[in-house]
Amino acid sequence: MPQKKYMEVPSDEPRGRNISSYFRTLSIKSKSSDEVGLNHVVPAPGTPVSRLQTLKNSPESHRHVGADSDDDWNANVDSFDSPPPKHIEHIPRRSGSVHSLGPGLVMSQANTSGPLRRTPQLEASPQLEALYPSLTPARESPGMRASPGRDPAPDDLATSAQIEELNALNAKFLRFKKVITADNVNLAELKRLSWNGIPRELRAVSWQLLLGYLPTNASRRSDALARKRAEYTDGVAQVLGADHTRDTAMWHQIAIDVPRTTQHIKLYTYAATQAALQRILYLWAVRHPASGYVQGINDLCTPFFQTFLASHAPDVELCDPALLPRATMDAVEADTFWCLTKLLDTIQDNYIHEQPGILRQVRELEGLVARIDAELVVHLRAQGVEFMQFAFRWMNCLLMRELNLEMVVRMWDTYLSETPLGFATFHVYVCAAFLVKFADELKDMEFQEVIMFLQNPPTRDWGVKNMELMMSEAFIWQSLYKNAAAHLRA
Amino acid sequence: MSSRKKTLLKVIILGDSGVGKTSLMQQFVNKKFSHQYKATIGADFLTKELPIDDKTVTMQIWDTAGQERFQSLGVAFYRGADCCILVYDVNNAKSFESLLAWKDEFLIQANVSLPETFPFIVIGNKIDIDENKRVVSYKKAAQVCQQLGNVPYFETSAKDGINVEEAFDVVSRNALQQEEANDEFNDDYNDAINIHLDGEAGNCTC
């Protein structure tokens, strides 16, 4: 049973420390963000920068919250070990316009085969600083800020918080860039950084490196990619060719699922997208006869597809792939296939006959929650609620039905940095944190309400802060329990 | 809580993937239709309060996933059911042929005490689609339902809301009957976990 092995966390020691301090910071922040809500607002007037906004695009709540905890952030920002406040770049998309980083900062026009050649635009960062020399404001003492008696002009406060966040973003970006542009990428380092979220512009490359799809050795990349992409094209030609007997039941199942995949995002309503997903899923299914296509795998395609496509289409959610160059789309499709394959390799027993991986995870989840909040489990049992009734889907679709796609993507930054066990093992701890978050409410509910609540949890509007808090909690549970596996077999 | 328990009717919807199980449930409970339902994973759950004659009952509906791969978890959802709705798509022959398999699968996994009298109903959905595409005739379907043990048969359009109320009205009456029979049968009926379930299910396949 390969899955029995529990976490090997790479160079765990410093990270462990950081995460818990991160966790403390986050709990404070997240509370306030809950109170304020996560509404988009117009940035404060007089902010220097239309440019800034495109980079930043942060809800007001985040800004205030950021202002509250500047010390923590500043203390952390300069250290590699610490979690930078990366959340600003992951705010859920509501309005189309705010999102792209602006043409000057989108890092990729070329195909992914030459990620490193795209770096010139990264050099925009010093330029950016030159444009806004006042980006580093003199630090006020925290006391001054927090003092309720004094009332600093809210604009100033917001602006300086904004600037600090930008600087943090920039610093983070440079740290990633340094790792990724090395001749030989230090994977352990990339994992460590990625745990706390990957900058949007570097995500495609980072994911491909973390999954082992892209070679760490820069000189081998373009050959390797060319080979894999050709292999995919050949594979598709073969299984769709005249010599291959079509598995009609499987083809049909995929064909009815693809048009109902992520339909609320325009990208997935286009024929070109659906045709690509159909090919990807069918080829994967044919190549993995032990499981074949299982509903839910269609969902797992989308974070890859969208992330890789975003390198070529700034407004990816509205993009019609048919309008992109053929070679670009072929590359995105092939990369999606291979990365999906890599991911599914780590959770294969979720989808084979009787889905033992999922049954195990649901059992583990129940055991874990019994440890964390015994009262909750007692209550659920008394109400006749079985974990299988709500958690099956959490495992089968990796919480993709409960969270918006943007948050799933952020979650995958962390999961991929836990490769190879992120999706099989760490996910269970995340689900525990997810459930326990609602423990108080659930304890006041009867069977029917519990099921309805968990079928439709109030998490589709969650933002990055909620996600990061949840994952930090999961990390703590994992640190506490991963080597004490006896509870999972209870 | 009052001494007399609220009447709960538990209903399960089964059938092949894409025949419109979710749409039927949504049309019945929320009176709406959408083209955007995602494939159901595991099972979805909705409830509806219904007047039946002079009493009000609560119907709890489990809308299950259609893909065969998910059948192994039926146990978690089927147990304690009072009625089972078998759905097929009148434009899809295979979904019709699967009806018997779904019925058998349900009886095995739900651990029903009297399989012969357990209430099923069959729904042929998507009658709004072009008549030329239809592959299962009313006559054929009605005939098969009779062979299945005189199972009531309805043809519906979840999209246009045709006949959905009528079908669920029969579901609720038959479920209530079953529930009352169960009640007499079992004084302390409270959905208790049947500890023999696994063993029995395992034995009969040997």
Side-chain angles (χ1 to χ4, degrees), chain A residues 111-163:
Chain A
N111 64 36
T112 5
S113 69
L116 306 183
R117 267 174 273 120
R118 279 183 260 129
T119 46
Q121 273 137 0
L122 302 187
E123 315 302 344
S125 357
Q127 277 168 19
L128 194 70
E129 277 174 36
L131 277 172
Y132 307 110
S134 61
L135 269 182
T136 314
R139 283 194 59 195
E140 300 165 66
S141 81
M144 264 174 76
R145 284 220 183 142
S147 150
R150 304 183 54 144
D151 202 6
D155 283 2
D156 290 354
L157 206 148
T159 309
S160 63
Q162 219 175 355
I163 288 168

Side-chain angles (χ1 to χ4, degrees), chain A residues 252-253 256-257 260 262-264 290-291 293-296 351-355 386 388-389 392-393 396-397 401 447-448 451-452 455, chain B residues 1 8 17-18 35-47 58 60 62 65-67 69-70 72-73 75-77 79 92:
Chain A
H252 170 74
Q253 184 67 62
I256 57 178
D257 284 354
R260 39 182 188 167
T262 324
Q263 286 304 290
H264 58 282
S291 77
Y293 169 75
V294 177
Q295 292 184 310
Y351 302 108
I352 59 177
H353 181 62
E354 301 218 308
Q355 306 190 270
E386 293 178 39
M388 196 59 81
Q389 290 164 343
F392 180 85
R393 182 168 59 202
N396 193 79
C397 301
R401 295 291 179 92
F447 173 84
Q448 215 163 279
I451 299 286
M452 301 275 271
Q455 291 260 329
Chain B
M1 268 200 137
L8 292 178
S17 189
H35 284 285
Q36 294 206 356
Y37 298 127
K38 297 179 175 191
T40 305
I41 305 294
D44 285 341
F45 179 80
L46 281 180
T47 67
T58 303
Q60 297 182 336
W62 287 99
Q67 201 184 8
R69 178 56 42 87
F70 297 127
S72 54
L73 66 140
V75 163
F77 300 106
R79 186 185 304 136
N92 177 329

Side-chain angles (χ1 to χ4, degrees), chain A residues 252-272:
Chain A
H252 170 74
Q253 184 67 62
I254 295 170
I256 57 178
D257 284 354
V258 163
R260 39 182 188 167
T261 304
T262 324
Q263 286 304 290
H264 58 282
I265 298 178
K266 189 113 176 67
L267 167 65
Y268 297 95
T269 62
Y270 291 114

Side-chain angles (χ1 to χ4, degrees), chain B residues 145-202:
Chain B
C145 288
Q146 198 153 25
Q147 287 163 9
L148 283 177
N150 250 335
V151 175
Y153 175 59
F154 289 87
E155 296 200 337
T156 62
S157 162
K159 185 178 168 210
D160 299 337
I162 296 169
N163 231 5
V164 175
E165 282 289 333
E166 290 79 354
F168 273 90
D169 185 59
V170 171
V171 169
S172 61
R173 286 170 189 282
N174 292 359
L176 182 60
Q177 226 170 35
Q178 172 75 4
E179 167 70 15
E180 283 167 350
N182 269 344
D183 246 354
E184 283 166 29
F185 208 69
N186 192 349
D187 252 355
D188 185 30
Y189 177 68
N190 62 355
D191 241 8
I193 292 167
N194 183 341
I195 54 169
H196 301 300
L197 193 67
D198 291 340
E200 283 172 19

Side-chain angles (χ1 to χ4, degrees), chain A residues 178-195:
Chain A
K178 190 174 161 212
V179 172
I180 287 173
T181 52
D183 288 341
N184 240 316
V185 171
N186 179 343
L187 258 193
E189 185 61 17
L190 182 60
K191 283 182 177 183
R192 216 158 53 86
L193 288 176
S194 300
W195 208 97

Side-chain angles (χ1 to χ4, degrees), chain B residues 14 71 86 96-108 148:
Chain B
L14 300 180
Q71 279 180 16
L86 303 169
F96 182 67
E97 288 154 18
S98 304
L99 288 177
L100 181 62
W102 280 113
K103 181 171 182 261
D104 289 348
E105 184 68 27
F106 174 81
L107 287 173
I108 292 168
L148 283 177

